[in-house]
Amino acid sequence: MNNRIAIEKKVLSANDRLAAAIRAKLEEQRILSLNLVSSPGSGKTSLLERTLGALNSTLRIAVIAGDVQTENDANRLVKAGGRLVRPIVTGGACHLDAAMVTRALDQLDFGHIDLLFIENVGNLVCPSSYDLGEDMKVALISTTEGDDKPLKYPAMFRRSSVLVINKTDLVGLSDFDVPRARDNALTINGKLRIFEISCRSGDGLQAWYEWLIEQAAIKKGRPS
Amino acid sequence: MNNRIAIEKKVLSANDRLAAAIRAKLEEQRILSLNLVSSPGSGKTSLLERTLGALNSTLRIAVIAGDVQTENDANRLVKAGGRLVRPIVTGGACHLDAAMVTRALDQLDFGHIDLLFIENVGNLVCPSSYDLGEDMKVALISTTEGDDKPLKYPAMFRRSSVLVINKTDLVGLSDFDVPRARDNALTINGKLRIFEISCRSGDGLQAWYEWLIEQAAIKKGRPS
């Protein structure tokens, strides 16, 4: 098994080099980049649909949408008004890596982007190990999952800067307890910025939009 | 990268040998074994809690409960009446493998088991590649996820024999369409046996229990 670990280390360090190159490019263009990570079905695509709908005239938004199979998410995002959407079909891989993101970015005109979302494969484990050159990881959980997810999958929440708790419209229909979920997440990572939202009802999204505008402005060197 | 693929093949073939040994042991004791796979939060543990509650006096049920961190699920199952529950904490690994299951099985008395559940790590990708010596994989999706999950994560649904659609009490509160989910799943794997259930309301569980009793009897060589 030592051989396997050595190979994994090699893969990760090759990934880190590519991620550093992505980060340098995005830094040069002052593009805010967010890597969205969650279980399948927590609402990454729904959050992006809402965000495109609300901010398309305020920010120039690009999305790289990863999935194991299908371009369903990318198609949804184009329908939602996305002008710069690139799908990545991993064809089996359980996470995006920096090489895939490099290839997708090569098809985008960096001069026309303020904010880049990278929608990772739905998976709470593997994507946590792969730096994609992003500024921050944004983890989503939804109120129809267990509120102990941060404890069960700690690496993902430790490496994220932001936690979005989605589907607050369904609170009360399951045993999910929002304060307990917050506590569990903050136990793993006390620095998490937490948003409580419902992509269905729209509740809480305004704070998310304002935060995105603020962060993009800071990145551009023009604090809002 | 060829080196990486060679190593992965080696790991998988080592896993297959261990899985074959598990299968032979379970076969000898005529124990029905089901490997539960799903996204985090689809309801694997809830389904097991319900099943233990309903069938504990009918079948001798053992559960091996895997998680990346915490023994929360195993503790829940003991509370639900589970007498033979063994946790596996993978400590980072995104799936169970046959070596972990072998170690957990070593702690169980095979002579006292009719039905073995293996609750895998919540992950729709990686667990599909690892045979654990089970009779069947049982995939769960819930109505709060997207109904296109079978298309996006086809390997998991192709390698499963059973699909459980959980949280039917929440139908109508999201865009999830049950007939569309069934169609998508059957497109990937026309042989799937599908159950529609709600662990919360109890709807549909009777058919699941009857199926388990029947399958365990067939395995024992005493068709019910």
Side-chain angles (χ1 to χ4, degrees):
Chain A
M1 284 294 193
N2 282 346
N3 214 349
R4 186 190 186 185
I5 293 169
I7 296 274
E8 273 174 9
K9 273 194 182 161
K10 238 178 162 176
V11 168
L12 283 174
S13 90
N15 185 78
D16 283 348
R17 281 194 297 279
L18 286 173
I22 294 172
R23 186 166 282 116
K25 269 195 197 179
L26 295 171
E27 205 58 48
E28 195 187 301
Q29 301 288 334
R30 298 172 174 269
I31 298 170
L32 175 67
S33 56
L34 303 175
N35 179 0
L36 297 190
V37 290
S38 81
S39 303
S42 297
K44 296 183 295 303
T45 314
S46 298
L47 180 60
L48 290 175
E49 286 175 323
R50 279 286 198 166
T51 304
L52 285 167
L55 297 184
N56 233 345
S57 56
T58 313
L59 294 172
R60 297 168 302 175
I61 301 173
V63 186
I64 294 173
D67 255 311
V68 175
Q69 284 298 342
T70 81
E71 298 187 358
N72 288 6
D73 290 353
N75 294 337
R76 280 173 60 186
L77 295 171
V78 169
K79 266 191 205 162
R83 285 182 292 256
L84 299 166
V85 179
R86 291 292 172 277
I88 297 178
V89 175
T90 71
C94 50
H95 59 84
L96 295 182
D97 64 32
M100 299 173 193
V101 172
T102 302
R103 285 192 293 273
L105 284 176
D106 282 345
Q107 302 166 33
L108 289 170
D109 182 351
F110 275 35
H112 294 91
I113 304 173
D114 302 310
L115 169 56
L116 170 69
F117 286 108
I118 304 168
E119 181 182 351
N120 220 311
V121 172
N123 183 331
L124 268 185
V125 191
C126 316
S128 74
S129 303
Y130 287 80
D131 183 9
L132 304 179
E134 73 275 358
D135 288 309
M136 297 179 232
K137 283 189 177 63
V138 176
L140 276 79
I141 56 173
S142 69
T143 66
T144 52
E145 305 165 33
D147 50 33
D148 58 354
K149 289 291 167 279
L151 305 178
K152 287 177 164 183
Y153 303 86
M156 191 62 95
F157 296 87
R158 199 172 292 128
R159 291 173 188 156
S160 293
S161 307
V162 177
L163 171 65
V164 175
I165 301 177
N166 188 23
K167 307 189 191 175
T168 55
D169 56 307
L170 298 180
V171 164
L173 298 176
S174 71
D175 300 326
F176 189 97
D177 184 77
V178 175
R180 195 162 54 212
R182 294 181 70 106
D183 281 356
N184 287 339
L186 291 169
T187 300
I188 298 297
N189 177 357
K191 292 182 180 165
L192 277 172
R193 172 89 166 83
I194 303 180
F195 294 92
E196 296 174 19
I197 66 158
S198 162
C199 288
R200 198 166 169 83
S201 73
D203 278 357
L205 284 171
Q206 196 54 42
W208 162 252
Y209 301 148
E210 286 167 10
W211 180 81
L212 288 175
I213 292 169
E214 179 195 77
Q215 293 297 314
I218 291 172
K219 187 80 187 193
K220 287 277 179 240
R222 296 189 302 259
S224 60
Chain B
M1 284 296 190
N2 281 348
N3 215 349
R4 186 191 188 186
I5 292 168
I7 295 273
E8 274 174 8
K9 274 197 182 158
K10 239 178 162 174
V11 168
L12 283 174
S13 88
N15 185 78
D16 283 348
R17 279 193 299 277
L18 286 172
I22 295 172
R23 186 166 284 116
K25 270 196 197 178
L26 295 172
E27 203 59 46
E28 195 187 304
Q29 300 289 335
R30 300 173 174 268
I31 298 171
L32 175 67
S33 57
L34 302 176
N35 178 0
L36 297 191
V37 291
S38 80
S39 303
S42 297
K44 296 183 294 303
T45 315
S46 299
L47 180 60
L48 289 176
E49 286 174 324
R50 280 285 199 167
T51 303
L52 285 166
L55 298 186
N56 233 345
S57 56
T58 314
L59 293 172
R60 296 168 302 173
I61 301 175
V63 186
I64 294 175
D67 253 312
V68 175
Q69 285 297 343
T70 84
E71 297 186 358
N72 289 6
D73 290 353
N75 294 338
R76 281 173 60 186
L77 295 172
V78 170
K79 266 191 205 162
R83 287 182 290 256
L84 298 166
V85 179
R86 291 293 172 277
I88 297 178
V89 175
T90 70
C94 50
H95 58 84
L96 295 181
D97 64 31
M100 300 174 193
V101 173
T102 301
R103 284 192 295 273
L105 284 176
D106 282 345
Q107 302 166 35
L108 290 171
D109 181 352
F110 275 34
H112 293 92
I113 305 173
D114 301 311
L115 168 57
L116 169 69
F117 286 108
I118 304 169
E119 181 181 351
N120 220 308
V121 172
N123 183 332
L124 268 185
V125 190
C126 315
S128 74
S129 303
Y130 287 80
D131 183 7
L132 304 179
E134 74 274 358
D135 287 310
M136 299 180 231
K137 283 190 177 63
V138 176
L140 275 79
I141 57 174
S142 69
T143 66
T144 54
E145 304 166 33
D147 51 33
D148 58 355
K149 289 292 169 280
L151 304 179
K152 288 177 162 183
Y153 302 86
M156 191 61 94
F157 297 87
R158 200 173 292 128
R159 290 172 189 157
S160 293
S161 308
V162 177
L163 170 65
V164 175
I165 301 177
N166 188 23
K167 307 188 191 176
T168 54
D169 55 307
L170 300 179
V171 163
L173 298 175
S174 71
D175 301 326
F176 190 97
D177 185 77
V178 175
R180 197 163 52 214
R182 293 181 70 106
D183 280 355
N184 287 339
L186 291 170
T187 300
I188 298 297
N189 177 356
K191 291 182 181 165
L192 278 172
R193 173 88 165 85
I194 303 179
F195 293 92
E196 297 174 19
I197 66 158
S198 163
C199 287
R200 200 166 169 81
S201 73
D203 278 357
L205 283 170
Q206 197 52 43
W208 163 252
Y209 301 148
E210 285 166 12
W211 180 81
L212 288 174
I213 293 168
E214 177 196 76
Q215 292 298 314
I218 292 173
K219 186 83 188 192
K220 286 277 179 243
R222 298 190 300 259
S224 60

